[in-house]
Amino acid sequence: MAATQGDEIHQAVIRDHFRRPRNRGSLDPPAASGHAHNPFCGDTVRVWARVEDGRIAEVSFDGRGCSISQAAASMLTTLVKGKQVAAVEALRQAFADGLAADGPALPRRLGDLRALAGVRRFPSRVRCAVLPFDALEEALEGCGESRPTSG
């Protein structure tokens, strides 16, 4: 299968975030942290967050693993900094929906995370892409910001 120009651009964005990650490194206390691990491939991500007035004031990550999980963590921390905590669940849902095999296109509001759209062709790699969201949600719970429940 030949790569399209769009595929090449997306691959360049992923490589850039992997090679020059944004927001890498821990935050000093009282930031809360969350951890996520993919036992199938060994990827691990830890996210630190500090919330002020319902907004993510600071966020960072560290981890090890494939370019998908580490680039996704860089992209996610860049995206959510300054956003309302309440917006995180909708971002995660839009991302997860867009990575489903028959899912919709990833919306513009996901920023650089849209570069991971091609992961949908590899179901075993989708978990790598959503791993940073798991760690972020745990960190936000540690900040006293629980995620909304449905129903």
Side-chain angles (χ1 to χ4, degrees):
M1 182 184 330
T4 66
Q5 184 178 10
D7 289 339
E8 291 172 11
I9 291 169
H10 286 166
Q11 290 172 6
V13 171
I14 294 167
R15 274 192 310 272
D16 181 52
H17 275 276
F18 180 68
R19 291 179 180 157
R20 295 181 319 168
R22 284 62 152 179
N23 308 305
R24 187 172 207 116
S26 63
L27 294 178
D28 293 330
S33 71
H35 176 263
H37 176 73
N38 184 347
F40 297 108
C41 66
D43 289 0
T44 184
V45 175
R46 180 168 297 279
V47 173
W48 288 267
R50 187 171 294 118
V51 174
E52 296 172 2
D53 299 323
R55 287 193 180 278
I56 300 172
E58 292 183 87
V59 62
S60 67
F61 83 98
D62 202 358
R64 61 179 164 69
C66 70
S67 60
I68 293 171
S69 70
Q70 301 305 294
S74 176
M75 294 171 186
L76 177 62
T77 58
T78 300
L79 177 68
V80 300
K81 188 172 184 178
K83 293 227 186 307
Q84 290 286 333
V85 170
V88 171
E89 181 61 26
L91 292 171
R92 179 195 177 101
Q93 191 62 54
F95 189 57
D97 289 348
L99 293 183
D102 58 350
L106 292 171
R108 294 185 70 77
R109 71 178 188 227
L110 290 174
D112 282 353
L113 283 168
R114 292 179 303 146
L116 295 166
V119 171
R120 75 172 51 143
R121 294 188 312 254
F122 309 97
S124 65
R125 303 304 300 268
V126 169
R127 178 75 181 119
C128 300
V130 298
L131 199 64
F133 271 104
D134 294 344
L136 175 61
E137 287 180 356
E138 185 176 299
L140 293 175
E141 288 171 6
C143 290
E145 303 289 334
S146 59
R147 73 189 248 195
T149 57
S150 58

